[in-house]
């Protein structure tokens, strides 16, 4: 079950990034099988990182998201710390590597 808050506009996503020290933006599309497979795994992983706040963006509903964040493929996983992008993954995500990266970023920011 997807529990990520769903963004309704680009402005909402930008405000979300400003509001949270660690903001995680998950960009997906309706017909993306990889998106739907990766999302629950990331959702489960984020339980270990309560300081990372997630939001999901459907690129079919908010197409300007791709241009704003230079996204060429989905899923795109973007982690921001203090409004700066500090990590990006796209399409095929190795969960152990993503977990290690989250650990490093949270520890040093």
């Amino acid at each position: 079950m997807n529990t990520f808050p769903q963004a309704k506009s680009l402005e909402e996503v930008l405000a979300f990034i400003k509001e949270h020290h660690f903001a995680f933006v998950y960009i997906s599309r309706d017909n993306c099988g990889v998106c739907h497979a990766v999302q629950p795994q990331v959702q489960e992983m984020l339980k270990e990182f309560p300081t990372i706040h997630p939001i999901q963006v459907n690129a079919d509903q908010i197409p300007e998201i791709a241009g704003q964040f230079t996204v060429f493929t989905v899923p795109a996983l973007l982690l921001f710390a203090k409004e700066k992008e500090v990590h990006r993954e796209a399409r095929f995500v190795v969960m152990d590597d993503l977990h290690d990266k989250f650990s490093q970023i949270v520890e040093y920011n």
Side-chain angles (χ1 to χ4, degrees), residues 3 12 22 40-41 43 65 73 105:
T3 60
E12 181 182 355
F22 292 113
Q41 296 175 60
Q43 183 174 296
I65 199 77
T73 188
I105 291 168

Side-chain angles (χ1 to χ4, degrees), residues 16-71:
F16 182 87
I17 293 168
K18 285 186 179 195
E19 289 171 14
H20 296 93
H21 182 82
F22 292 113
F24 176 73
V25 180
Y26 188 86
I27 302 171
S28 62
R29 296 186 74 156
D30 290 330
N31 294 325
C32 171
V34 176
C35 299
H36 300 297
V38 169
Q39 191 277 333
Q41 296 175 60
V42 174
Q43 183 174 296
E44 186 65 28
M45 181 190 310
L46 284 178
K47 290 178 182 177
E48 294 181 45
F49 303 99
T51 59
I52 298 176
H53 299 274
I55 193 166
Q56 185 165 358
V57 185
N58 184 324
D60 291 326
Q61 295 173 2
I62 308 172
E64 60 270 23
I65 199 77
Q68 177 70 36
F69 294 111
T70 318
V71 170

Side-chain angles (χ1 to χ4, degrees), residues 49-109:
F49 303 99
T51 59
I52 298 176
H53 299 274
I55 193 166
Q56 185 165 358
V57 185
N58 184 324
D60 291 326
Q61 295 173 2
I62 308 172
E64 60 270 23
I65 199 77
Q68 177 70 36
F69 294 111
T70 318
V71 170
F72 297 104
T73 188
V74 290
L77 293 70
L78 312 177
L79 180 61
F80 295 84
K82 303 176 193 166
E83 299 182 50
K84 303 281 187 216
E85 184 179 324
V86 293
H87 186 69
R88 174 184 290 236
E89 296 273 338
R91 194 69 180 149
F92 299 107
V93 179
V94 177
M95 289 300 147
D96 288 340
D97 293 347
L98 184 62
H99 185 277
D100 292 346
K101 191 54 104 169
F102 281 0
S103 294
Q104 292 170 358
I105 291 168
V106 168
E107 183 177 335
Y108 295 110
N109 283 286

